[in-house]
């Protein structure tokens, strides 16, 4: 009887050790995944017909066509950019990226973002809300998905943004890889 008791205790300890080994960091699996591109054409004083964003506050004499020093510190831009399924600016838009970014560091390129994807296509209808810091010089950076409406009602997750292309101070394209971890 003593051997059986030790065997049962031994089995219990092994099960306990195995269960605690699997209770480490929880692995999160996205409930939905989406990759989109948005295209930002910055107003430079000459391209009013094509511009999708504009600097609305600037520390350099309030001249909105002059950028604030090398890292744009203090500039605030609003945007209403087309969103596409691929990286071609001329592809059919599936929605608009609407919001703002502000340059918040004097010694490197960084921005703070607050924006919404307003999607209106046959595949997706609704909004996705984003907020967070954007260390622009980092290749892939994460910002928070803090909610949504329509097909994305109450969704939350992480969006990895990557600068896919840029042309000086006039145009840039972001690839946004969205992983939702809470889907309703």
């Amino acid at each position: 009887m003593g051997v059986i008791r030790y065997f049962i205790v031994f089995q219990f300890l092994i099960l306990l050790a195995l269960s605690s080994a699997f209770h480490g960091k929880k692995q999160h699996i996205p409930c939905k995944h989406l990759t989109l591109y948005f295209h930002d054409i910055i107003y430079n004083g000459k391209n009013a017909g094509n511009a999708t964003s504009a600097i609305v506050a600037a520390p350099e004499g309030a001249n909105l066509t002059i950028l604030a020093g090398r890292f744009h510190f203090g500039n605030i831009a609003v945007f209403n950019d087309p969103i596409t399924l691929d990286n071609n600016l001329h592809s059919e838009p599936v929605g608009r990226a609407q919001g703002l970014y502000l340059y918040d560091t004097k010694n490197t390129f960084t921005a703070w973002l607050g924006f919404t994807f307003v999607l209106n296509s046959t595949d997706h209808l609704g909004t996705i809300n984003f907020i967070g810091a954007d260390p622009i010089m980092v290749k892939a950076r994460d910002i928070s998905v803090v909610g949504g409406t329509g097909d994305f009602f109450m969704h939350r997750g992480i969006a990895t943004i990557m600068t896919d292309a840029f042309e000086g101070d006039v145009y840039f394209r972001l690839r946004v890889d969205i992983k939702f971890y809470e889907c309703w």
Side-chain angles (χ1 to χ4, degrees):
M1 195 83 147
V3 173
I4 294 175
R5 184 178 299 153
Y6 286 118
F7 180 73
I8 291 172
V9 169
F10 179 73
Q11 290 291 345
F12 175 75
L13 290 174
I14 287 180
L15 284 174
L16 184 64
L18 286 174
S19 68
S20 66
F22 291 110
H23 279 302
K25 187 175 180 181
K26 183 178 177 183
Q27 296 296 320
H28 297 285
I29 299 171
C31 50
K32 194 182 292 184
H33 180 240
L34 189 61
T35 299
L36 299 167
Y37 295 82
F38 77 92
H39 309 265
D40 194 74
I41 304 168
I42 303 164
Y43 175 64
N44 66 1
K46 301 173 188 167
N47 63 347
N50 294 343
T52 62
S53 69
I55 297 171
V56 296
E60 289 193 13
N63 182 342
L64 302 184
T65 62
I66 296 176
L67 299 174
R70 182 172 172 207
F71 299 110
H72 309 283
F73 179 71
N75 283 350
I76 300 173
V78 296
F79 60 91
N80 185 4
D81 298 336
I83 301 170
T84 59
L85 295 174
D86 62 19
N87 63 3
N88 186 344
L89 171 62
H90 303 291
S91 292
E92 184 69 27
V94 295
R96 306 293 292 185
Q98 301 171 333
L100 63 91
Y101 52 92
L102 56 100
Y103 293 97
D104 59 355
T105 305
K106 289 182 179 180
N107 57 3
T108 189
F109 285 108
T110 66
W112 182 88
L113 305 170
F115 64 98
T116 299
F117 278 3
V118 180
L119 300 172
N120 188 14
S121 70
T122 54
D123 293 331
H124 303 290
L125 182 60
T127 64
I128 307 168
N129 302 308
F130 305 87
I131 195 167
D134 181 15
I136 298 166
M137 301 308 290
V138 176
K139 182 176 174 144
R141 53 250 188 224
D142 293 331
I143 59 173
S144 300
V145 175
V146 295
T149 64
D151 292 344
F152 309 100
F153 178 75
M154 299 286 288
H155 282 32
R156 292 192 318 163
I158 296 294
T160 302
I161 57 177
M162 291 152 275
T163 303
D164 194 54
F166 69 93
E167 294 175 18
D169 289 332
V170 178
Y171 172 80
F172 66 86
R173 177 179 60 237
L174 294 180
R175 178 175 185 245
V176 184
D177 187 34
I178 307 165
K179 291 182 180 136
F180 297 105
Y181 293 96
E182 288 186 17
C183 301
W184 287 69

